[in-house]
Structure formats: C-alpha cells, structure tokens
Amino acid sequence: DKSPAFVEAIDLSNDQISLAQQRWKHDSRIKFSVGDARDFRPSQSFDVVTGLWILNYAKTREDLENFFATISYALQPQGVFLGINDNPFSPEQSYLDYKPYGFAKKFESPRQEGSKVVWVISEPVEMKITNYWWSPQSYKDAAKKAGLELEFQNPDCSIPDSATPGYWDFFLDVPPFIAI
C-alpha cells in the first residue's frame, strides 16, 4: 500500500480548506489547517513535503527564506520536497507568447528580484494571479540557508497524437512552470 500514513495540509484560503475537508471528511489520516506556510510548523515531520504554487508567492527574500524554513522543518532527514512553481528561467520576452494556451504572464519592467508577475488566465473567465519573480540563484540560496539542496526540473509532458503538429512546441520549449 502506497497511501500515506498521515497528511497535514495548509492553505491561506478558508474556502479551499473547506472544500478539501468536505472532499476528505471520512479520512482521519488528513489534518487540514488554515494558515500561512511561511510560519507554519506541522505537528510532525514527513518523508515528503509538497508545495504546489507556493514559493512564487514570496514577496520578499525573507518570505522566500521562511517558506524554505517551513519546508526544512517539516521534512525528516533524507526527506524530499516536491514543488511546482512559476518558471524563473522563462525569458521576459516569452511572457505574452502563452496566449494560445489561454493565459499570458505580465511583469513589472525591468524584471528584477521580487518583481510582480501576474498570470492573466482568459478561460473560462478572466482571472489574475499575482506571483513574484526570484532568480534561480535566489531560490537555491534560500533553500541552502534552510539546509536544503534544490534542483529544478522542466516538466516532462507527452503530447497526444491528435494534437495539431507544432501547437505545443513553444509551451514545451519554454515551459511557464517548473518542478522543484
């Protein structure tokens, strides 16, 4: 059985936690909390910690360091962090080229450490999500300060045979997100 013995989940959004609690209400192995991951301290340490779209919410270098401190605190020795994040390697000129995929990324110019990056998602209704850009080295430095080693990995995606030839080429060549 590959099911986890215990899961502890946190989110700033009461609505998101309520939805998760409703979905998993019969599973006593999951504890949900509303809170800020920058200063969260779980009730125990874990073999695996995930952070999906969280590190890119660091408005300051201190926020980034605090996120990694939480991750480090939550991990058992030899534990693994798995994350998905806005891709800090994306060149600035690529941000509008994601429009064929239903979104664009906009940024404060010039892009620098801590610059806002706004994802404008156009389908099914327009939605804006504000992130903050940090260089790959800033991520590595913040992780190292927390005693962690960081590796970036481009997503490994497969394209269905029914896809229009060439349609996904840009998305795969310059992925808008990255695995950590």
Side-chain angles (χ1 to χ4, degrees):
D1 182 21
K2 295 184 180 187
S3 297
F6 180 69
V7 174
E8 193 161 355
I10 182 172
D11 197 293
L12 271 174
S13 168
N14 285 315
D15 291 342
Q16 292 300 320
I17 291 296
S18 292
L19 286 170
Q21 286 172 325
Q22 189 63 25
R23 166 69 173 89
W24 298 100
K25 65 184 171 190
H26 299 295
D27 195 332
S28 61
R29 298 172 304 159
I30 306 173
K31 176 183 175 186
F32 295 100
S33 301
V34 174
D36 190 331
R38 288 173 290 203
D39 56 14
F40 178 66
R41 295 298 178 257
S43 60
Q44 66 182 60
S45 58
F46 296 89
D47 295 323
V48 178
V49 170
T50 60
L52 307 179
W53 302 103
I54 188 158
L55 297 173
N56 43 258
Y57 284 111
K59 293 179 182 179
T60 65
R61 187 173 302 275
E62 182 182 14
D63 284 349
L64 191 60
E65 290 172 357
N66 287 339
F67 281 133
F68 279 110
T70 294
I71 294 163
S72 181
Y73 181 90
L75 281 172
Q76 290 185 7
Q78 306 305 313
V80 175
F81 169 68
L82 301 170
I84 300 291
N85 201 70
D86 187 60
N87 188 349
F89 296 98
S90 293
E92 295 173 43
Q93 65 271 21
S94 72
Y95 280 29
L96 294 176
D97 293 338
Y98 296 110
K99 282 186 177 181
Y101 311 109
F103 69 96
K105 296 191 322 183
K106 298 179 180 184
F107 65 95
E108 299 171 335
S109 187
R111 185 179 72 178
Q112 57 192 3
E113 299 286 300
S115 287
K116 280 186 183 181
V117 175
V118 179
W119 286 53
V120 181
I121 300 169
S122 54
E123 302 278 332
V125 295
E126 185 173 286
M127 176 173 57
K128 294 180 180 180
I129 302 169
T130 301
N131 296 292
Y132 298 87
W133 184 84
W134 296 97
S135 69
Q137 190 61 51
S138 289
Y139 283 105
K140 288 183 177 187
D141 291 347
K144 184 176 182 179
K145 186 173 181 178
L148 301 171
E149 192 174 322
L150 194 65
E151 180 181 318
F152 295 100
Q153 177 91 29
N154 280 334
D156 185 11
C157 302
S158 61
I159 304 302
D161 293 336
S162 61
T164 303
Y167 177 77
W168 290 103
D169 289 354
F170 176 76
F171 190 94
L172 295 174
D173 290 343
V174 186
F177 58 90
I178 198 161
I180 296 177

